[in-house]
Amino acid sequence: MKKRILVMAAAMAMAGVLSGCSGFGQAETTAAASTAAPETPAAPVSEAEILVAAAASLKNAYEEKLIPMFQEANPGVTVKGTYDSSGKLQTQIEEGLEADVFMSAATKQMKALDEGGYIASDTIVNLLENKIVLIVPAGSDSKLEKFEDIVNAESIALGDPASVPAGQYAEEALTSLGIWDSIQDKVSLGTNVTEVLNQVAAASADAGIVYATDAASMADQVTVVAEAPEGSLSKKVIYPVAVVKNTAHEDAAKAFTEFLQTDEAMAVFESYGFTKGN
């Protein structure tokens, strides 16, 4: 009998120990759950305003289509554009223009800025190709039929080769054709390609050389006579784009340049007469 009582007492003591252990485990689990860090919410998209410094020949495509498309997809980002000759924009960036993205109408200006330490080199993309063309006012009785016939125009509008890529291309093509020097007394120089286009459209010049995309934008006011002959230019007319190195909005600037490389953006460029660069 005494032995049975001792066995029962031992069993009750063991049950108490097990019960105590079980309670401790539950309390520890509850305490751990109550002190766990809450899940961190996703960071909001940062807002930014970026400035794109772009060749004048890009203004229509940017302002009418591309910038609105990008802003709709990225509501936290505002894009502003400043447009001029690539040479002027290069100088402005060198002098402190706080641009976030640069897109030129030639590789020369991009290369100069890159070598000067103003461009994030790994972001440079040769995005587009253009053509240069000889134009006359729409409806004029011009007898010009080919590019070389520019020598027969009474007055000629060209971009200033000192700063305007379209003028540099024109000088190269006309020099290779052996007629650059012979037209100098007829030439008026524009500060960007849009100014040249407007002079011809207004018939204040009998002929001019602009990009094919510019001529297409005013097809009702100017007529394309011909493209620069094959071999008259040593290189293609390439438009590179890149992020400016000291941008304060690197993420937004990169997002914009990446957007320009999408199929949707390229379709817009092509609708304005550009082709894909290579």
Side-chain angles (χ1 to χ4, degrees):
M1 183 71 173
K2 181 184 284 188
K3 185 176 180 181
R4 181 181 296 177
I5 292 171
L6 289 173
V7 171
M8 290 177 63
M12 290 173 66
M14 182 60 70
V17 170
L18 292 173
S19 175
C21 289
S22 175
F24 175 78
Q26 289 174 353
E28 186 177 47
T29 302
T30 303
S34 66
T35 58
E39 188 174 323
T40 304
V45 177
S46 13
E47 295 187 356
E49 180 175 306
I50 62 172
L51 178 64
V52 178
S57 50
L58 293 163
K59 183 176 182 179
N60 291 342
Y62 269 21
E63 294 293 322
E64 295 170 4
K65 298 285 186 178
L66 293 169
I67 289 176
M69 285 170 62
F70 178 78
Q71 290 182 152
E72 183 177 357
N74 299 271
V77 182
T78 300
V79 181
K80 301 291 184 183
T82 180
Y83 309 96
D84 211 322
S85 71
S86 300
K88 281 189 176 181
L89 294 173
Q90 174 195 334
T91 299
Q92 289 171 16
I93 290 171
E94 291 169 339
E95 293 178 348
L97 175 67
E98 294 182 355
D100 302 285
V101 174
F102 176 54
M103 188 166 181
S104 56
T107 56
K108 176 182 178 181
Q109 291 75 25
M110 183 67 76
K111 183 179 179 182
L113 286 176
D114 185 33
E115 291 176 346
Y118 297 94
I119 295 296
S121 302
D122 60 344
T123 68
I124 300 174
V125 176
N126 289 337
L127 189 64
L128 304 175
E129 183 181 350
N130 210 337
K131 304 289 184 184
I132 61 166
V133 296
L134 175 64
I135 59 171
V136 296
S140 72
D141 58 358
S142 168
K143 300 297 189 290
L144 309 187
E145 296 180 354
K146 56 185 185 294
F147 205 85
E148 299 90 322
D149 287 345
I150 194 172
V151 296
N152 299 322
E154 301 259 337
S155 57
I156 301 167
L158 300 175
D160 186 348
S163 62
V164 184
Q168 294 161 6
Y169 290 126
E171 179 180 14
E172 181 184 355
L174 296 173
T175 298
S176 73
L177 294 170
I179 55 180
W180 173 253
D181 291 335
S182 65
I183 65 170
Q184 291 309 300
D185 59 345
K186 305 176 182 182
V187 171
S188 62
L189 299 177
T191 60
N192 58 53
V193 72
T194 303
E195 189 175 309
V196 174
L197 179 67
N198 289 334
Q199 285 185 45
V200 178
S204 56
D206 294 329
I209 294 176
V210 298
Y211 297 115
T213 52
D214 296 304
S217 73
M218 297 182 72
D220 59 333
Q221 298 179 63
V222 300
T223 298
V224 174
V225 173
E227 287 184 7
E230 177 119 14
S232 62
L233 294 177
S234 60
K235 296 179 181 179
K236 294 179 178 180
V237 180
I238 297 295
Y239 283 53
V241 64
V243 174
V244 177
K245 182 177 284 187
N246 292 327
T247 172
H249 311 290
E250 183 178 3
D251 290 344
K254 283 185 175 179
F256 185 73
T257 59
E258 288 167 2
F259 159 73
L260 295 178
Q261 299 170 56
T262 64
D263 291 341
E264 293 80 7
M266 195 56 60
V268 171
F269 281 126
E270 289 173 354
S271 73
Y272 281 82
F274 294 98
T275 55
K276 189 172 183 178
N278 49 46

